[in-house]
Amino acid sequence: MASSVAIDPVVTLCPPNHNWRIKVRVVRLWIADGFAGENKPASMELILLDQHGGKIQATVRKLMFRKWGEQFVEGNVYIITFFHLIPNLGAYRPTDHPFRILFNPKTKIIPAESSIIPRWGFSLKDSAQLNDDGFQTEYLVDMIGLLTATSEERTYVKDDIVTKMMLLEISDDKGKLECALFGEYVQIVLDYLSSNPLEKPVVVLQLAKLKSFRGKNVLQNVMKASRIIFNPEVAEAESLMDRISGLNMQPNQPVGHIISPNPSVPIFEDFMNNYPKKTICALNETTEDGLFIVYGTVVGLLQDDPWWYFACKCHKAVTFDDGLYFCPGCCKHVMDISARYKIKLEVFDGTDSGNFLLFDSDAHHLIKKSCKDMLGNLKDPKSAEITPLMEEQLVGKELLFKVEKKSNNFFQFDDSYCVKRICDDPSIIEAFKAISDAQTSNLARCPTPFTVVNSAGDKVAVEDPFESCVVLSPEVLTPSLGSDPSYVGSSANIFKRKADEDCKKPPTVPKLKMKNVKVEKK
């Protein structure tokens, strides 16, 4: 009788209906135990897969853990009925299903069998897809490849906790990608290589997050959720070996060695040598994604959004989810949260202005006060008004910014550039300006027509002795805040640029020489 009841495909699940009936395999299961000061599980997280390939995340909350915590076994198949569906929110989501299952006291779970539901539920991406700057990073990803190199094991200390770390190089027929492993995952790799030192194994990294680090994409494990599988007996592994058979990857040779990068790049090297330098005008106009060094002055603090947010220990923003805080980076509910800065600056450099998003460590360095202490001094922290101290410490500051321009960031951060690092060292700022002046002083200047508007309101065309996008010295021009950067002027005349708005070169401007112009009125 039970077998005649219809089974709903996972892809069709949506609220408000609760009378769903699904037949799924638990392809991944982990315990989220990150509650501060407690050595108890916070929740059980499951990834469920049906025969049609539909995947959905399910959560057994702490209150339901005693009832359902021991019912599930990873790899087994179950028929599940009567459950809630809640929105699947946050970054680094394990599945792309718009909803997530939440078990309740009325949920029924029946063990079952199925030979047609896959065991692993891989959703594999190749290295070319993962290296693409336009790849969507809000979901966890799977990759299969040959383990071609590893770094030495390292340790680092954060919040008084010592954590192991190492890098892997995973290669396929489309290229290669580095993967940063932390914690217990490092020991998994070391244990395998110690017992299999003479071969490069096929490795699958499942449920990993894709992050941008120093201008390139890198995979990183998620604590408890990610899984590493060596030499899996699956068709995808056989297909990989067929594709790389003629690429001289030498799978029968030992794994190579990665020289670990210096984790702390000297600030002078970082701002003067490692990345392209651009004006804000050129930054706004370029279609190139990447990291750039920009000089500018903070001219204002914007209040489009609150200047702080609640974050997990991993620094990811948390979302309030049914009475608890959920961290998308750790894929679990957390209690140990803290307030962190996220300040939107308006920065001007003489060529154009831009919105720069300043995060906690750099903001703390400039303001000389933690976000927690700043909020503690407010009468109403929820109002999140810009404080006089923040304006005093930030507005008027001349800084070098290492910013990231990434097309998909503009959707996430509302047309703002994310600041990766700041430099307020006067000597480095002067060295940066000196190099910029030296580079621009040798540029050829072609006469460009522009319009003179005199005090009587008459317009005449004259020759502009400079290129159309320039940086004017304070002696030549002191523009008012909020004025159109395409205008420059003096007390008697305003010059409106007409040509060449590409702003490709911002040369240093010599002292402005005016021409006597005869004005004829109609």
Side-chain angles (χ1 to χ4, degrees):
M1 187 71 175
S3 60
S4 63
V5 178
I7 298 295
D8 300 301
V10 164
V11 71
T12 64
L13 300 183
C14 64
N17 184 13
H18 293 170
N19 297 323
W20 298 104
R21 181 182 178 88
I22 58 174
K23 185 175 183 179
V24 291
R25 187 185 300 277
V26 180
V27 295
R28 187 62 176 143
L29 180 155
W30 69 93
I31 304 297
D33 55 358
F35 276 65
E38 294 186 18
N39 190 22
K40 298 179 181 179
S43 66
M44 174 184 284
E45 305 295 333
L46 307 98
I47 306 299
L48 307 178
L49 174 73
D50 70 4
Q51 68 180 44
H52 306 290
K55 283 195 289 188
I56 190 169
Q57 182 181 359
T59 298
V60 179
R61 291 279 174 80
K62 184 179 181 180
L63 296 177
M64 296 289 101
F65 197 81
R66 288 187 178 180
K67 183 173 183 179
W68 303 122
E70 297 181 359
Q71 295 288 326
F72 293 103
V73 177
E74 190 174 86
N76 285 4
V77 177
Y78 302 90
I79 295 175
I80 306 174
T81 57
F82 302 114
F83 47 80
H84 291 302
L85 290 168
I86 59 176
N88 189 21
L89 303 175
Y92 301 121
R93 303 190 288 277
T95 76
D96 60 1
H97 199 289
F99 300 100
R100 186 156 50 101
I101 290 175
L102 189 64
F103 294 115
N104 60 67
K106 295 182 179 180
T107 301
K108 293 185 177 180
I109 301 170
I110 304 172
E113 299 287 341
S114 176
S115 60
I116 59 176
I117 302 178
R119 166 62 182 91
W120 302 105
F122 296 141
S123 299
L124 297 171
K125 306 296 181 184
D126 60 45
S127 60
Q129 293 172 299
L130 298 177
N131 278 315
D132 185 354
D133 288 338
F135 186 83
Q136 293 185 339
T137 58
E138 64 262 37
Y139 303 108
L140 300 183
V141 299
D142 306 341
M143 181 184 178
I144 187 171
L146 204 64
L147 180 58
T148 48
T150 64
S151 71
E152 296 289 343
E153 175 190 349
R154 292 192 288 129
T155 58
Y156 75 99
V157 180
K158 181 178 178 182
D159 298 328
D160 297 326
I161 299 175
V162 179
T163 305
K164 293 181 179 181
M165 182 265 184
M166 74 183 305
L167 294 177
L168 308 183
E169 180 186 84
I170 302 177
S171 304
D172 61 14
D173 56 311
K174 300 293 181 63
K176 60 185 179 182
L177 195 69
E178 285 191 356
C179 171
L181 295 184
F182 296 88
E184 61 191 30
Y185 293 86
V186 173
Q187 196 59 47
I188 292 173
V189 174
L190 293 176
D191 289 344
Y192 178 85
L193 294 179
S194 65
S195 57
N196 300 272
L198 301 179
E199 65 172 9
K200 295 184 178 76
V202 173
V203 62
V204 174
L205 183 60
Q206 190 175 20
L207 297 177
K209 48 187 174 181
L210 185 68
K211 305 184 70 175
S212 178
F213 180 69
R214 294 179 183 170
K216 64 179 182 180
N217 289 349
V218 179
L219 288 175
Q220 181 180 319
N221 68 279
V222 178
M223 292 298 186
K224 304 292 185 180
S226 297
R227 173 163 54 194
I228 299 178
I229 309 170
F230 292 102
N231 294 325
E233 296 181 359
V234 294
E236 293 89 343
E238 296 179 3
S239 176
L240 171 72
M241 296 305 294
D242 290 338
R243 297 196 307 271
I244 67 173
S245 60
L247 299 181
N248 195 30
M249 290 189 184
Q250 299 177 333
N252 295 324
Q253 298 296 319
V255 173
H257 180 67
I258 299 174
I259 299 176
S260 298
N262 185 352
S264 179
V265 179
I267 191 167
F268 184 90
E269 190 77 14
D270 209 23
F271 282 88
M272 299 299 293
N273 300 327
N274 288 355
Y275 301 98
K277 305 173 181 63
K278 287 190 180 294
T279 63
I280 295 178
C281 179
L283 183 68
N284 290 338
E285 293 294 327
T286 186
T287 58
E288 178 186 1
D289 285 354
L291 296 173
F292 303 97
I293 305 299
V294 177
Y295 161 79
T297 301
V298 179
V299 296
L301 308 183
L302 304 178
Q303 280 194 276
D304 300 344
D305 299 303
W307 51 263
W308 63 276
Y309 66 100
F310 278 132
C312 173
K313 291 192 297 183
C314 72
H315 300 170
K316 285 291 180 184
V318 296
T319 56
F320 195 69
D321 178 24
D322 197 19
L324 294 172
Y325 287 103
F326 180 78
C327 173
C330 300
C331 289
K332 64 183 180 183
H333 292 88
V334 295
M335 293 290 288
D336 192 359
I337 60 173
S338 60
R340 296 179 66 83
Y341 286 114
K342 187 185 71 173
I343 306 174
K344 186 181 288 188
L345 310 177
E346 183 181 3
V347 180
F348 183 70
D349 72 344
T351 68
D352 205 346
S353 63
N355 298 338
F356 290 8
L357 207 55
L358 190 70
F359 288 96
D360 193 74
S361 58
D362 289 326
H364 190 173
H365 170 75
L366 294 174
I367 299 173
K368 314 298 184 189
K369 201 167 192 175
S370 71
C371 186
K372 177 182 177 181
D373 292 340
M374 185 69 72
L375 289 172
N377 293 335
L378 298 180
K379 294 181 179 179
D380 182 13
K382 292 182 179 180
S383 67
E385 294 182 356
I386 298 295
T387 68
L389 177 61
M390 293 169 64
E391 292 184 328
E392 177 186 343
Q393 296 289 4
L394 295 175
V395 176
K397 280 274 189 182
E398 291 187 56
L399 299 168
L400 293 179
F401 300 88
K402 180 167 73 172
V403 299
E404 181 179 33
K405 178 159 188 177
K406 204 169 184 179
S407 301
N408 56 8
N409 275 8
F410 271 50
F411 296 100
Q412 183 178 0
F413 296 116
D414 191 24
D415 293 350
S416 300
Y417 300 106
C418 288
V419 177
K420 297 299 184 181
R421 193 176 187 182
I422 58 101
C423 173
D424 60 350
D425 187 321
S427 62
I428 298 178
I429 293 174
E430 290 303 316
F432 181 94
K433 293 163 68 175
I435 289 177
S436 299
D437 290 345
Q439 290 175 342
T440 56
S441 63
N442 296 324
L443 296 175
R445 296 180 174 89
C446 301
T448 304
F450 67 94
T451 302
V452 174
V453 182
N454 65 10
S455 57
D458 301 305
K459 300 180 180 180
V460 291
V462 298
E463 283 189 350
D464 182 2
F466 320 123
E467 294 187 358
S468 62
C469 185
V470 299
V471 180
L472 294 177
S473 64
E475 294 79 11
V476 177
L477 168 68
T478 304
S480 62
L481 299 182
S483 62
D484 187 341
S486 63
Y487 287 87
V488 298
S490 65
S491 59
N493 300 285
I494 299 176
F495 302 95
K496 170 64 177 168
R497 308 287 179 177
K498 289 178 61 179
D500 188 16
E501 295 180 356
D502 291 335
C503 303
K504 294 180 180 178
K505 300 175 182 178
T508 304
V509 178
K511 200 167 184 179
L512 188 62
K513 295 181 181 179
M514 299 298 297
K515 289 186 178 183
N516 293 325
V517 179
K518 183 178 180 181
V519 179
E520 295 181 1
K521 294 185 178 180
K522 293 183 180 180

